[in-house]
Amino acid sequence: MKKEYKIGLSIIGLLLLVFTFTDMNISNAVYNPESKFGLIFEAIGEFPSAIIATFCTVSLMLTREKDKSIKYNLGTVGYIVLLIFFSLMASMIPVKYLHGPKALIPILMAIYITVSYVIAKKCATTHKEELRRAAIVGILTFIFVIIAFNSIKFLWGRERYRHMIEVGSFAGHSMWFIPQGFASGNEFMSFPSGHSANAAIMAWITLIPTFVTSLKDKKSWFIRFAILWTLLVPVSRIVVGAHFASDVTMGVTITLVIFTLLKNKYINNLEEKDAIHMFI
């Protein structure tokens, strides 16, 4: 395991240890259900992940080898289903939280798909393989993250801080590592944070310079923005009482682990092989 990965996991482990004993104190100190900061990021926090998934789906459709086989045609149907699902999610999130008209949903879907197609088409003409690798990482990260945090939420059954405030009792508070049984409803799906997990998918933008080479010298800016977003959204979830500090930490961790594994498999390993082949 690389040194930086060990350091990262050590930091996460330390944070989870600290939050085991400070979760409630932190929430008591920052809770503000009327916080504009919290409400804004509740509305937009997950939005980029659905946009990324939409773009990656379009990219995979454009970069695959064309043929007339049954497998190809079935693949086309599968991609269309995913594209509708992801673009629908990206359209429903702002409409839901910002209380916009539902008539906007199909319009936004069309816009997201069209813009994704134009950008992906341009990138595919010069860096087809790099775009495809990044798209595979993006779409698999999104799918695996959604499955992972929703499965754990349902099995863990941890009560949300805001619900404890609402019912006027903290008797249901539990340490993050102790499952409470199947969740009986949304207010018992605090661990881990879905918003935080989806926000961390912003890490994918650090792959953009791999298929847009003109941005290679700007990679540090992509990294900074991804880090900033991955910090702001989790903090906002604690502020509005939707999650505890340990919830958001685990949400981010799930995504970063999945993203790193996929990046190593589909991008880093292949780049290393390409570099070796240059000297053979």
Side-chain angles (χ1 to χ4, degrees):
M1 183 182 295
K2 294 183 179 180
K3 183 179 180 180
E4 56 266 33
Y5 295 162
K6 292 181 179 179
I7 293 174
L9 291 175
S10 297
I11 293 174
I12 290 169
L14 180 59
L15 287 174
L16 288 173
L17 177 61
V18 171
F19 294 151
T20 297
F21 305 101
T22 60
D23 261 346
M24 186 60 74
N25 292 332
I26 293 172
S27 291
N28 287 338
V30 304
Y31 179 59
N32 179 7
E34 303 301 321
S35 166
K36 286 185 171 56
F37 161 70
L39 295 175
I40 288 173
F41 277 96
E42 180 176 55
I44 67 175
E46 297 180 293
F47 175 73
S49 64
I51 289 295
I52 289 170
T54 300
F55 175 79
C56 288
T57 303
V58 172
S59 298
L60 288 177
M61 292 180 72
L62 286 174
T63 56
R64 61 184 179 149
E65 296 299 327
K66 294 180 172 58
D67 60 51
K68 298 180 180 180
S69 67
I70 295 177
K71 181 180 179 180
Y72 180 87
N73 292 329
L74 290 176
T76 300
V77 174
Y79 279 129
I80 291 174
V81 171
L82 287 176
L83 189 57
I84 292 174
F85 175 72
F86 295 146
S87 60
L88 178 62
M89 182 180 295
S91 303
M92 289 182 66
I93 289 173
V95 170
K96 172 186 176 182
Y97 287 107
L98 300 177
H99 308 292
K102 292 183 178 180
L104 274 177
I105 293 177
I107 297 174
L108 290 175
M109 289 175 65
I111 292 174
Y112 298 151
I113 293 173
T114 301
V115 172
S116 294
Y117 176 82
V118 172
I119 297 174
K121 184 72 173 178
K122 183 175 181 180
C123 294
T125 57
T126 55
H127 296 87
K128 180 179 178 180
E129 184 58 29
E130 291 82 359
L131 174 62
R132 186 166 184 80
R133 294 179 191 179
I136 291 173
V137 172
I139 197 168
L140 288 182
T141 296
F142 185 85
I143 292 173
F144 290 159
V145 165
I146 292 290
I147 293 173
F149 79 71
N150 276 303
S151 299
I152 298 173
K153 273 178 177 291
F154 181 71
L155 295 172
W156 231 253
R158 192 184 195 192
E159 188 175 358
R160 297 182 189 271
Y161 178 83
R162 68 188 181 197
H163 187 255
M164 297 177 192
I165 294 294
E166 182 183 341
V167 299
S169 172
F170 295 101
H173 176 62
S174 60
M175 292 184 176
W176 65 268
F177 56 86
I178 304 176
Q180 300 300 300
F182 296 121
S184 58
N186 183 56
E187 292 304 321
F188 293 86
M189 300 180 76
S190 185
F191 183 86
S193 168
H195 264 74
S196 300
N198 278 327
I201 293 177
M202 185 65 81
W204 182 85
I205 69 172
T206 63
L207 301 182
I208 292 177
T210 65
F211 59 86
V212 184
T213 52
S214 61
L215 296 175
K216 275 192 174 182
D217 60 341
K218 305 294 184 184
K219 185 175 180 178
S220 60
W221 289 101
F222 286 101
I223 293 174
R224 290 168 189 166
F225 185 79
I227 292 174
L228 180 63
W229 191 268
T230 305
L231 288 174
L232 289 176
V233 176
V235 171
S236 74
R237 301 306 286 156
I238 301 172
V239 171
V240 297
H243 296 284
F244 291 102
S246 55
D247 299 333
V248 300
T249 301
M250 185 56 72
V252 169
T253 301
I254 288 171
T255 298
L256 293 184
V257 169
I258 291 174
F259 173 75
T260 300
L261 291 173
L262 290 170
K263 180 184 175 184
N264 287 340
K265 177 177 175 61
Y266 290 101
I267 295 180
N268 292 353
N269 287 345
L270 290 175
E271 287 180 345
E272 291 174 3
K273 290 179 181 178
D274 290 343
I276 291 174
H277 288 160
M278 289 177 62
F279 296 96
I280 296 178

